[in-house]
Amino acid sequence: MIDQAYPYRCCVVCGLEAATCLQVAHLDHNASNNAPDNLARLCPTHHWMYDAGLYPIEAIQLLQAHWQTTQGIPNHKVRMKDAGAKAALSRKRSAAARKAVATRRANAAVGG
Ligand SMILES: [Zn+2]
């Protein structure tokens, strides 16, 4: 049942994919409620933390939906959107810094 609803298998908190470690949590703590939105795969540590009340059910459901969308593949687009411009600026700055150091060395050599 959980396999059809959530084909990508990992702990929804930490992303652990080791199948032998994954447990199916009943989010409402009712073991007879197997509705898909009541189930989530968790590793033993995060299962314990969920049962101890450290994560809200909404967070677990949101993360579960997100893992199904991303399939565990990171998206770097946001961080990379102006990476080229930043790198060009950084290259310009280091060229200016090298020139300043060379000028200081030349002046120090002349000044003795
Ligand atoms: Zn985990």
Side-chain angles (χ1 to χ4, degrees):
M1 188 173 288
I2 190 170
D3 292 343
Q4 289 152 357
Y6 311 111
Y8 183 75
R9 300 176 191 196
C10 70
C11 169
V12 303
V13 175
C14 67
L16 179 75
E17 292 178 279
T20 54
C21 296
L22 295 177
Q23 303 174 345
V24 176
H26 290 86
L27 299 179
D28 67 355
H29 308 291
N30 174 0
S32 65
N33 179 0
N34 290 317
D37 67 350
N38 189 47
L39 302 176
R41 285 190 191 86
L42 293 169
C43 71
T45 300
H46 288 122
H47 195 168
W48 179 88
M49 291 174 80
Y50 177 75
D51 286 347
L54 295 170
Y55 297 114
I57 187 171
E58 294 82 6
I60 298 296
Q61 290 170 333
L62 186 72
L63 283 166
Q64 176 147 261
H66 195 66
W67 280 109
Q68 296 308 309
T69 302
T70 64
Q71 303 283 300
I73 299 165
N75 179 350
H76 297 295
K77 278 183 192 153
V78 171
R79 284 186 291 172
M80 294 303 288
K81 72 179 184 342
D82 52 1
K86 282 180 184 169
L89 187 63
S90 172
R91 276 194 299 274
K92 233 182 262 179
R93 281 191 192 133
S94 54
R98 273 194 299 276
K99 190 176 171 190
V101 167
T103 303
R104 276 196 298 276
R105 280 186 185 151
N107 290 344
V110 170

